[in-house]
Amino acid sequence: MLKIKIRNADSEDAERFVNCYLRAYRGLESYAFSSKRDVKSYFRWLMKRDAKGVYSADVMIKTQGFDWSELRGAGFVACDSNWFSKYEGKEVCEIHEIFVDPEWRGIGIGSMLMREAISYSVKMRRDVLELWVGERNYRAMKFYRKFGFSSREKNGCWIRMVKTLNVK
Ligand SMILES: CC(C)(COP(=O)(O)OP(=O)(O)OC[C@H]1O[C@@H](n2cnc3c(N)ncnc32)[C@H](O)[C@@H]1OP(=O)(O)O)[C@@H](O)C(=O)NCCC(=O)NCCS
C-alpha cells in the first residue's frame, strides 16, 4: 500500500532535490543542469525566490505488518509567486520546476504536485500560471495540456505555456 504526501520543502531537502532532479532529467539533458553543484545552486535560488512555493512529494510505503517506510523527495514542484512576466506585463505564478523520479512516475505524483501549484497560485492571488517547456519534451507538454495549459510564444528551444485561473 502506498500513500503520497505533499509538503513544503525546506533547506534539508537540498540533497534529495539534487538526486531526484538528476534522475528525472535523464534523456532530457539539453533542458536541464547536469552537475550536482549547479542543481544545488538552483535549489538555493528557488528557495530564495519563494520558499513557500516549493513542495516535495513523499511516498509512504506499508511494509510487512503495520510499519510504514518513507521515501522523502520522490518529486518536487517549485512555484514563484513573485515572478514578473514580461509577456503578461504583470506578476504571475511561475512554475520554475516540476519533476518526478522515473521510478515513481505514472501514479499521480506529478498531478498532485501540479494541483498544489494551482492552489498556491490561487492562494497568492495570481491569476496566471506560467512555465517554459523544452520544445521536444512531449510528455511534459501532454501533462500540462491535461491541466489546461496552452502554448504561447517560442524562445529558442523553449515554449511558454500558461493557464489562467479565477482568483476572485
Ligand atoms: C511530467 C512529469 C512531472 C509527470 O509526472 P508523473 O508523476 O508521471 O505524472 P502523473 O502520474 O500524475 O501522470 C499525469 C499525466 O502525465 C502523463 N504521463 C505520465 N506518465 C507518462 C508516461 N510514462 N508516458 C507518457 N505520458 C505520461 C499522462 O498524460 C498522465 O495522464 P493520465 O493520468 O491521463 O495517464 C514527469 O514525467 C517528469 O518528471 N518528467 C521529467 C521532468 C520534466 O520534464 N519536467 C517538466 C519540465 S518543463
Side-chain angles (χ1 to χ4, degrees):
M1 192 179 160
L2 278 183
K3 272 199 230 168
I4 293 138
K5 193 176 75 188
I6 308 294
R7 62 167 173 90
N8 270 116
D10 60 42
S11 55
E12 299 205 340
D13 287 301
E15 206 62 35
R16 287 186 274 266
F17 180 95
V18 171
N19 293 331
C20 187
Y21 177 101
L22 292 172
R23 280 198 296 271
Y25 279 102
R26 265 180 214 148
L28 290 166
E29 283 82 1
S30 50
Y31 304 126
F33 295 112
S34 54
S35 80
K36 277 195 164 199
R37 198 180 149 165
D38 287 347
V39 184
K40 205 163 192 169
S41 308
Y42 179 41
F43 177 73
R44 280 199 215 104
W45 180 79
L46 293 169
M47 293 296 280
K48 209 162 144 192
R49 288 286 319 171
D50 190 357
K52 290 201 171 82
V54 184
Y55 296 90
S56 164
D58 299 341
V59 181
M60 321 278 291
I61 308 153
K62 194 165 195 176
T63 50
Q64 287 188 330
F66 297 103
D67 294 335
W68 288 90
S69 67
E70 190 185 35
L71 173 92
R72 287 166 83 78
F76 289 86
V77 64
C79 311
D80 182 348
S81 61
N82 306 309
W83 190 256
F84 183 83
S85 166
K86 66 174 186 179
Y87 296 87
E88 299 293 327
K90 62 181 179 183
E91 283 188 316
V92 300
C93 185
E94 186 82 6
I95 301 182
H96 288 301
E97 198 51 72
I98 182 165
F99 57 85
V100 172
D101 189 302
E103 262 194 59
W104 297 102
R105 284 194 195 148
I107 59 165
I109 295 178
S111 299
M112 287 175 77
L113 289 167
M114 180 55 84
R115 283 194 288 270
E116 198 70 45
I118 294 167
S119 300
Y120 183 68
S121 187
V122 171
K123 189 173 136 201
M124 300 310 284
R125 308 191 74 76
R126 299 284 180 243
D127 62 0
V128 175
L129 261 176
E130 179 183 86
L131 58 86
W132 290 85
V133 60
E135 61 183 341
R136 291 204 198 126
N137 193 348
Y138 305 115
R139 178 188 294 174
M141 272 189 260
K142 183 180 165 209
F143 173 80
Y144 297 140
R145 276 197 297 269
K146 193 184 136 187
F147 277 94
F149 282 82
S150 48
S151 304
R152 295 285 196 273
E153 301 78 6
K154 191 164 180 275
N155 194 340
C157 64
W158 299 96
I159 295 170
R160 188 172 81 95
M161 294 186 83
V162 295
K163 174 181 170 69
T164 49
L165 299 167
N166 188 354
V167 298
K168 299 277 179 309

PDB file of all heavy atoms in Angstrom, residues 5-7 9 16-17 20-21 24 55-59 71-77 98-101 104 109-110 113:
ATOM      1  N   LYS A   5       2.336  12.048   0.103  1.00  0.00           N
ATOM      2  CA  LYS A   5       2.113  13.244   0.928  1.00  0.00           C
ATOM      3  C   LYS A   5       2.856  14.417   0.290  1.00  0.00           C
ATOM      4  O   LYS A   5       4.034  14.277  -0.055  1.00  0.00           O
ATOM      5  CB  LYS A   5       2.704  12.930   2.313  1.00  0.00           C
ATOM      6  CG  LYS A   5       2.313  13.889   3.408  1.00  0.00           C
ATOM      7  CD  LYS A   5       2.883  13.430   4.744  1.00  0.00           C
ATOM      8  CE  LYS A   5       4.376  13.701   4.814  1.00  0.00           C
ATOM      9  NZ  LYS A   5       5.053  13.141   5.977  1.00  0.00           N
ATOM     10  N   ILE A   6       2.162  15.521   0.136  1.00  0.00           N
ATOM     11  CA  ILE A   6       2.820  16.723  -0.402  1.00  0.00           C
ATOM     12  C   ILE A   6       3.076  17.662   0.773  1.00  0.00           C
ATOM     13  O   ILE A   6       2.178  17.892   1.586  1.00  0.00           O
ATOM     14  CB  ILE A   6       1.932  17.439  -1.454  1.00  0.00           C
ATOM     15  CG1 ILE A   6       1.436  16.473  -2.547  1.00  0.00           C
ATOM     16  CG2 ILE A   6       2.668  18.632  -2.071  1.00  0.00           C
ATOM     17  CD1 ILE A   6       2.482  15.891  -3.444  1.00  0.00           C
ATOM     18  N   ARG A   7       4.284  18.164   0.859  1.00  0.00           N
ATOM     19  CA  ARG A   7       4.621  19.074   1.973  1.00  0.00           C
ATOM     20  C   ARG A   7       5.558  20.163   1.463  1.00  0.00           C
ATOM     21  O   ARG A   7       6.189  19.994   0.402  1.00  0.00           O
ATOM     22  CB  ARG A   7       5.295  18.295   3.111  1.00  0.00           C
ATOM     23  CG  ARG A   7       6.595  17.677   2.683  1.00  0.00           C
ATOM     24  CD  ARG A   7       7.477  17.163   3.772  1.00  0.00           C
ATOM     25  NE  ARG A   7       8.600  16.445   3.163  1.00  0.00           N
ATOM     26  CZ  ARG A   7       9.754  16.992   2.809  1.00  0.00           C
ATOM     27  NH1 ARG A   7       9.978  18.280   2.994  1.00  0.00           N
ATOM     28  NH2 ARG A   7      10.707  16.265   2.255  1.00  0.00           N
ATOM     29  N   ALA A   9       8.845  22.103   1.011  1.00  0.00           N
ATOM     30  CA  ALA A   9      10.254  21.703   1.085  1.00  0.00           C
ATOM     31  C   ALA A   9      10.997  22.669   2.009  1.00  0.00           C
ATOM     32  O   ALA A   9      10.539  23.792   2.258  1.00  0.00           O
ATOM     33  CB  ALA A   9      10.875  21.735  -0.302  1.00  0.00           C
ATOM     34  N   ARG A  16      18.174  15.684  -1.551  1.00  0.00           N
ATOM     35  CA  ARG A  16      17.106  14.898  -2.178  1.00  0.00           C
ATOM     36  C   ARG A  16      16.684  15.542  -3.502  1.00  0.00           C
ATOM     37  O   ARG A  16      16.444  14.865  -4.495  1.00  0.00           O
ATOM     38  CB  ARG A  16      15.889  14.803  -1.240  1.00  0.00           C
ATOM     39  CG  ARG A  16      16.108  13.885  -0.067  1.00  0.00           C
ATOM     40  CD  ARG A  16      14.837  13.731   0.735  1.00  0.00           C
ATOM     41  NE  ARG A  16      14.689  14.778   1.721  1.00  0.00           N
ATOM     42  CZ  ARG A  16      15.084  14.678   2.986  1.00  0.00           C
ATOM     43  NH1 ARG A  16      15.613  13.561   3.419  1.00  0.00           N
ATOM     44  NH2 ARG A  16      14.931  15.678   3.821  1.00  0.00           N
ATOM     45  N   PHE A  17      16.594  16.871  -3.501  1.00  0.00           N
ATOM     46  CA  PHE A  17      16.214  17.596  -4.717  1.00  0.00           C
ATOM     47  C   PHE A  17      17.238  17.312  -5.818  1.00  0.00           C
ATOM     48  O   PHE A  17      16.888  16.982  -6.941  1.00  0.00           O
ATOM     49  CB  PHE A  17      16.146  19.102  -4.401  1.00  0.00           C
ATOM     50  CG  PHE A  17      15.769  19.976  -5.562  1.00  0.00           C
ATOM     51  CD1 PHE A  17      14.441  20.368  -5.752  1.00  0.00           C
ATOM     52  CD2 PHE A  17      16.723  20.422  -6.467  1.00  0.00           C
ATOM     53  CE1 PHE A  17      14.079  21.189  -6.826  1.00  0.00           C
ATOM     54  CE2 PHE A  17      16.378  21.231  -7.544  1.00  0.00           C
ATOM     55  CZ  PHE A  17      15.059  21.621  -7.720  1.00  0.00           C
ATOM     56  N   CYS A  20      17.081  13.578  -7.104  1.00  0.00           N
ATOM     57  CA  CYS A  20      15.843  13.318  -7.850  1.00  0.00           C
ATOM     58  C   CYS A  20      15.870  14.063  -9.193  1.00  0.00           C
ATOM     59  O   CYS A  20      15.502  13.514 -10.231  1.00  0.00           O
ATOM     60  CB  CYS A  20      14.652  13.742  -6.990  1.00  0.00           C
ATOM     61  SG  CYS A  20      13.064  13.313  -7.693  1.00  0.00           S
ATOM     62  N   TYR A  21      16.328  15.313  -9.173  1.00  0.00           N
ATOM     63  CA  TYR A  21      16.406  16.135 -10.388  1.00  0.00           C
ATOM     64  C   TYR A  21      17.274  15.447 -11.443  1.00  0.00           C
ATOM     65  O   TYR A  21      16.884  15.332 -12.606  1.00  0.00           O
ATOM     66  CB  TYR A  21      16.994  17.498 -10.005  1.00  0.00           C
ATOM     67  CG  TYR A  21      17.216  18.456 -11.152  1.00  0.00           C
ATOM     68  CD1 TYR A  21      16.315  19.491 -11.401  1.00  0.00           C
ATOM     69  CD2 TYR A  21      18.346  18.357 -11.978  1.00  0.00           C
ATOM     70  CE1 TYR A  21      16.531  20.390 -12.443  1.00  0.00           C
ATOM     71  CE2 TYR A  21      18.561  19.246 -13.025  1.00  0.00           C
ATOM     72  CZ  TYR A  21      17.667  20.260 -13.248  1.00  0.00           C
ATOM     73  OH  TYR A  21      17.868  21.145 -14.284  1.00  0.00           O
ATOM     74  N   ALA A  24      15.511  12.515 -12.844  1.00  0.00           N
ATOM     75  CA  ALA A  24      14.307  12.891 -13.603  1.00  0.00           C
ATOM     76  C   ALA A  24      14.642  13.424 -14.999  1.00  0.00           C
ATOM     77  O   ALA A  24      13.872  13.242 -15.930  1.00  0.00           O
ATOM     78  CB  ALA A  24      13.497  13.925 -12.815  1.00  0.00           C
ATOM     79  N   TYR A  55       7.501  22.585  -3.089  1.00  0.00           N
ATOM     80  CA  TYR A  55       6.886  21.425  -2.435  1.00  0.00           C
ATOM     81  C   TYR A  55       7.608  20.143  -2.818  1.00  0.00           C
ATOM     82  O   TYR A  55       8.108  20.007  -3.937  1.00  0.00           O
ATOM     83  CB  TYR A  55       5.415  21.294  -2.853  1.00  0.00           C
ATOM     84  CG  TYR A  55       4.541  22.438  -2.410  1.00  0.00           C
ATOM     85  CD1 TYR A  55       4.374  23.556  -3.224  1.00  0.00           C
ATOM     86  CD2 TYR A  55       3.901  22.415  -1.183  1.00  0.00           C
ATOM     87  CE1 TYR A  55       3.577  24.627  -2.821  1.00  0.00           C
ATOM     88  CE2 TYR A  55       3.102  23.477  -0.764  1.00  0.00           C
ATOM     89  CZ  TYR A  55       2.952  24.570  -1.595  1.00  0.00           C
ATOM     90  OH  TYR A  55       2.166  25.628  -1.193  1.00  0.00           O
ATOM     91  N   SER A  56       7.578  19.228  -1.858  1.00  0.00           N
ATOM     92  CA  SER A  56       8.152  17.896  -2.103  1.00  0.00           C
ATOM     93  C   SER A  56       7.034  16.868  -2.007  1.00  0.00           C
ATOM     94  O   SER A  56       6.099  17.021  -1.209  1.00  0.00           O
ATOM     95  CB  SER A  56       9.198  17.620  -1.009  1.00  0.00           C
ATOM     96  OG  SER A  56       9.507  16.244  -0.982  1.00  0.00           O
ATOM     97  N   ALA A  57       7.150  15.800  -2.776  1.00  0.00           N
ATOM     98  CA  ALA A  57       6.230  14.661  -2.650  1.00  0.00           C
ATOM     99  C   ALA A  57       6.985  13.540  -1.940  1.00  0.00           C
ATOM    100  O   ALA A  57       8.070  13.135  -2.372  1.00  0.00           O
ATOM    101  CB  ALA A  57       5.775  14.198  -4.032  1.00  0.00           C
ATOM    102  N   ASP A  58       6.410  13.068  -0.847  1.00  0.00           N
ATOM    103  CA  ASP A  58       6.999  11.949  -0.106  1.00  0.00           C
ATOM    104  C   ASP A  58       6.118  10.720  -0.294  1.00  0.00           C
ATOM    105  O   ASP A  58       4.891  10.834  -0.287  1.00  0.00           O
ATOM    106  CB  ASP A  58       7.082  12.276   1.389  1.00  0.00           C
ATOM    107  CG  ASP A  58       7.959  13.483   1.664  1.00  0.00           C
ATOM    108  OD1 ASP A  58       8.778  13.836   0.791  1.00  0.00           O
ATOM    109  OD2 ASP A  58       7.824  14.081   2.742  1.00  0.00           O
ATOM    110  N   VAL A  59       6.734   9.577  -0.476  1.00  0.00           N
ATOM    111  CA  VAL A  59       5.978   8.334  -0.662  1.00  0.00           C
ATOM    112  C   VAL A  59       6.075   7.517   0.614  1.00  0.00           C
ATOM    113  O   VAL A  59       7.173   7.274   1.130  1.00  0.00           O
ATOM    114  CB  VAL A  59       6.549   7.523  -1.851  1.00  0.00           C
ATOM    115  CG1 VAL A  59       5.745   6.239  -2.048  1.00  0.00           C
ATOM    116  CG2 VAL A  59       6.530   8.334  -3.128  1.00  0.00           C
ATOM    117  N   LEU A  71       9.798   7.466   1.819  1.00  0.00           N
ATOM    118  CA  LEU A  71      10.814   7.931   0.877  1.00  0.00           C
ATOM    119  C   LEU A  71      10.534   9.411   0.645  1.00  0.00           C
ATOM    120  O   LEU A  71       9.518   9.778   0.043  1.00  0.00           O
ATOM    121  CB  LEU A  71      10.715   7.159  -0.436  1.00  0.00           C
ATOM    122  CG  LEU A  71      11.644   7.734  -1.486  1.00  0.00           C
ATOM    123  CD1 LEU A  71      12.975   7.015  -1.449  1.00  0.00           C
ATOM    124  CD2 LEU A  71      11.030   7.658  -2.858  1.00  0.00           C
ATOM    125  N   ARG A  72      11.431  10.234   1.157  1.00  0.00           N
ATOM    126  CA  ARG A  72      11.225  11.683   1.025  1.00  0.00           C
ATOM    127  C   ARG A  72      11.823  12.166  -0.298  1.00  0.00           C
ATOM    128  O   ARG A  72      12.874  11.707  -0.707  1.00  0.00           O
ATOM    129  CB  ARG A  72      11.877  12.407   2.204  1.00  0.00           C
ATOM    130  CG  ARG A  72      11.077  12.212   3.499  1.00  0.00           C
ATOM    131  CD  ARG A  72      11.873  12.618   4.700  1.00  0.00           C
ATOM    132  NE  ARG A  72      11.849  14.052   4.981  1.00  0.00           N
ATOM    133  CZ  ARG A  72      10.833  14.673   5.558  1.00  0.00           C
ATOM    134  NH1 ARG A  72       9.756  14.016   5.912  1.00  0.00           N
ATOM    135  NH2 ARG A  72      10.894  15.965   5.797  1.00  0.00           N
ATOM    136  N   GLY A  73      11.094  13.084  -0.951  1.00  0.00           N
ATOM    137  CA  GLY A  73      11.626  13.689  -2.172  1.00  0.00           C
ATOM    138  C   GLY A  73      11.534  12.804  -3.397  1.00  0.00           C
ATOM    139  O   GLY A  73      12.512  12.641  -4.125  1.00  0.00           O
ATOM    140  N   ALA A  74      10.337  12.240  -3.663  1.00  0.00           N
ATOM    141  CA  ALA A  74      10.135  11.446  -4.890  1.00  0.00           C
ATOM    142  C   ALA A  74       9.802  12.364  -6.067  1.00  0.00           C
ATOM    143  O   ALA A  74       9.785  11.932  -7.228  1.00  0.00           O
ATOM    144  CB  ALA A  74       9.021  10.432  -4.677  1.00  0.00           C
ATOM    145  N   GLY A  75       9.517  13.615  -5.755  1.00  0.00           N
ATOM    146  CA  GLY A  75       9.215  14.599  -6.794  1.00  0.00           C
ATOM    147  C   GLY A  75       9.136  15.975  -6.156  1.00  0.00           C
ATOM    148  O   GLY A  75       8.978  16.091  -4.927  1.00  0.00           O
ATOM    149  N   PHE A  76       9.259  16.990  -6.982  1.00  0.00           N
ATOM    150  CA  PHE A  76       9.236  18.372  -6.474  1.00  0.00           C
ATOM    151  C   PHE A  76       8.514  19.286  -7.458  1.00  0.00           C
ATOM    152  O   PHE A  76       8.522  19.033  -8.668  1.00  0.00           O
ATOM    153  CB  PHE A  76      10.667  18.924  -6.310  1.00  0.00           C
ATOM    154  CG  PHE A  76      11.437  18.307  -5.176  1.00  0.00           C
ATOM    155  CD1 PHE A  76      12.144  17.126  -5.365  1.00  0.00           C
ATOM    156  CD2 PHE A  76      11.444  18.903  -3.918  1.00  0.00           C
ATOM    157  CE1 PHE A  76      12.862  16.541  -4.318  1.00  0.00           C
ATOM    158  CE2 PHE A  76      12.156  18.331  -2.872  1.00  0.00           C
ATOM    159  CZ  PHE A  76      12.864  17.158  -3.066  1.00  0.00           C
ATOM    160  N   VAL A  77       7.919  20.341  -6.915  1.00  0.00           N
ATOM    161  CA  VAL A  77       7.460  21.438  -7.768  1.00  0.00           C
ATOM    162  C   VAL A  77       7.952  22.726  -7.119  1.00  0.00           C
ATOM    163  O   VAL A  77       7.982  22.833  -5.884  1.00  0.00           O
ATOM    164  CB  VAL A  77       5.913  21.446  -7.947  1.00  0.00           C
ATOM    165  CG1 VAL A  77       5.155  21.689  -6.655  1.00  0.00           C
ATOM    166  CG2 VAL A  77       5.481  22.463  -8.995  1.00  0.00           C
ATOM    167  N   ILE A  98       9.169  21.326 -12.185  1.00  0.00           N
ATOM    168  CA  ILE A  98       8.347  20.210 -11.695  1.00  0.00           C
ATOM    169  C   ILE A  98       8.967  18.925 -12.244  1.00  0.00           C
ATOM    170  O   ILE A  98       9.309  18.843 -13.427  1.00  0.00           O
ATOM    171  CB  ILE A  98       6.846  20.338 -12.092  1.00  0.00           C
ATOM    172  CG1 ILE A  98       6.024  19.174 -11.504  1.00  0.00           C
ATOM    173  CG2 ILE A  98       6.640  20.448 -13.590  1.00  0.00           C
ATOM    174  CD1 ILE A  98       4.504  19.396 -11.539  1.00  0.00           C
ATOM    175  N   PHE A  99       9.207  17.984 -11.379  1.00  0.00           N
ATOM    176  CA  PHE A  99       9.751  16.695 -11.842  1.00  0.00           C
ATOM    177  C   PHE A  99       9.439  15.607 -10.825  1.00  0.00           C
ATOM    178  O   PHE A  99       9.197  15.877  -9.639  1.00  0.00           O
ATOM    179  CB  PHE A  99      11.269  16.778 -12.095  1.00  0.00           C
ATOM    180  CG  PHE A  99      12.076  17.210 -10.907  1.00  0.00           C
ATOM    181  CD1 PHE A  99      12.501  16.300  -9.955  1.00  0.00           C
ATOM    182  CD2 PHE A  99      12.413  18.549 -10.741  1.00  0.00           C
ATOM    183  CE1 PHE A  99      13.251  16.702  -8.854  1.00  0.00           C
ATOM    184  CE2 PHE A  99      13.161  18.969  -9.640  1.00  0.00           C
ATOM    185  CZ  PHE A  99      13.584  18.040  -8.694  1.00  0.00           C
ATOM    186  N   VAL A 100       9.430  14.374 -11.335  1.00  0.00           N
ATOM    187  CA  VAL A 100       9.147  13.198 -10.513  1.00  0.00           C
ATOM    188  C   VAL A 100      10.207  12.150 -10.848  1.00  0.00           C
ATOM    189  O   VAL A 100      10.576  11.976 -12.021  1.00  0.00           O
ATOM    190  CB  VAL A 100       7.721  12.653 -10.813  1.00  0.00           C
ATOM    191  CG1 VAL A 100       7.467  11.323 -10.113  1.00  0.00           C
ATOM    192  CG2 VAL A 100       6.663  13.674 -10.408  1.00  0.00           C
ATOM    193  N   ASP A 101      10.686  11.474  -9.828  1.00  0.00           N
ATOM    194  CA  ASP A 101      11.660  10.399 -10.034  1.00  0.00           C
ATOM    195  C   ASP A 101      11.067   9.370 -11.011  1.00  0.00           C
ATOM    196  O   ASP A 101       9.920   8.963 -10.833  1.00  0.00           O
ATOM    197  CB  ASP A 101      11.929   9.727  -8.672  1.00  0.00           C
ATOM    198  CG  ASP A 101      13.087   8.764  -8.747  1.00  0.00           C
ATOM    199  OD1 ASP A 101      13.041   7.813  -9.571  1.00  0.00           O
ATOM    200  OD2 ASP A 101      14.037   8.944  -7.987  1.00  0.00           O
ATOM    201  N   TRP A 104       8.867   6.536  -9.889  1.00  0.00           N
ATOM    202  CA  TRP A 104       7.574   6.822  -9.272  1.00  0.00           C
ATOM    203  C   TRP A 104       6.614   7.550 -10.203  1.00  0.00           C
ATOM    204  O   TRP A 104       5.639   8.132  -9.760  1.00  0.00           O
ATOM    205  CB  TRP A 104       7.788   7.622  -7.974  1.00  0.00           C
ATOM    206  CG  TRP A 104       8.558   6.858  -6.967  1.00  0.00           C
ATOM    207  CD1 TRP A 104       9.876   7.005  -6.661  1.00  0.00           C
ATOM    208  CD2 TRP A 104       8.077   5.778  -6.154  1.00  0.00           C
ATOM    209  NE1 TRP A 104      10.247   6.100  -5.720  1.00  0.00           N
ATOM    210  CE2 TRP A 104       9.156   5.338  -5.382  1.00  0.00           C
ATOM    211  CE3 TRP A 104       6.832   5.159  -6.015  1.00  0.00           C
ATOM    212  CZ2 TRP A 104       9.032   4.285  -4.474  1.00  0.00           C
ATOM    213  CZ3 TRP A 104       6.706   4.121  -5.112  1.00  0.00           C
ATOM    214  CH2 TRP A 104       7.801   3.699  -4.356  1.00  0.00           C
ATOM    215  N   ILE A 109       1.766  11.320  -8.929  1.00  0.00           N
ATOM    216  CA  ILE A 109       2.543  12.266  -8.107  1.00  0.00           C
ATOM    217  C   ILE A 109       2.659  13.630  -8.807  1.00  0.00           C
ATOM    218  O   ILE A 109       2.435  14.681  -8.198  1.00  0.00           O
ATOM    219  CB  ILE A 109       3.940  11.693  -7.764  1.00  0.00           C
ATOM    220  CG1 ILE A 109       3.775  10.450  -6.887  1.00  0.00           C
ATOM    221  CG2 ILE A 109       4.813  12.747  -7.078  1.00  0.00           C
ATOM    222  CD1 ILE A 109       5.079   9.762  -6.506  1.00  0.00           C
ATOM    223  N   GLY A 110       2.968  13.611 -10.099  1.00  0.00           N
ATOM    224  CA  GLY A 110       3.073  14.866 -10.859  1.00  0.00           C
ATOM    225  C   GLY A 110       1.767  15.641 -10.784  1.00  0.00           C
ATOM    226  O   GLY A 110       1.762  16.861 -10.597  1.00  0.00           O
ATOM    227  N   LEU A 113       1.364  17.284  -7.415  1.00  0.00           N
ATOM    228  CA  LEU A 113       2.239  18.463  -7.313  1.00  0.00           C
ATOM    229  C   LEU A 113       1.643  19.629  -8.108  1.00  0.00           C
ATOM    230  O   LEU A 113       1.664  20.783  -7.660  1.00  0.00           O
ATOM    231  CB  LEU A 113       3.649  18.123  -7.809  1.00  0.00           C
ATOM    232  CG  LEU A 113       4.463  17.188  -6.906  1.00  0.00           C
ATOM    233  CD1 LEU A 113       5.708  16.670  -7.636  1.00  0.00           C
ATOM    234  CD2 LEU A 113       4.883  17.881  -5.606  1.00  0.00           C
TER     235      LEU A 113
END
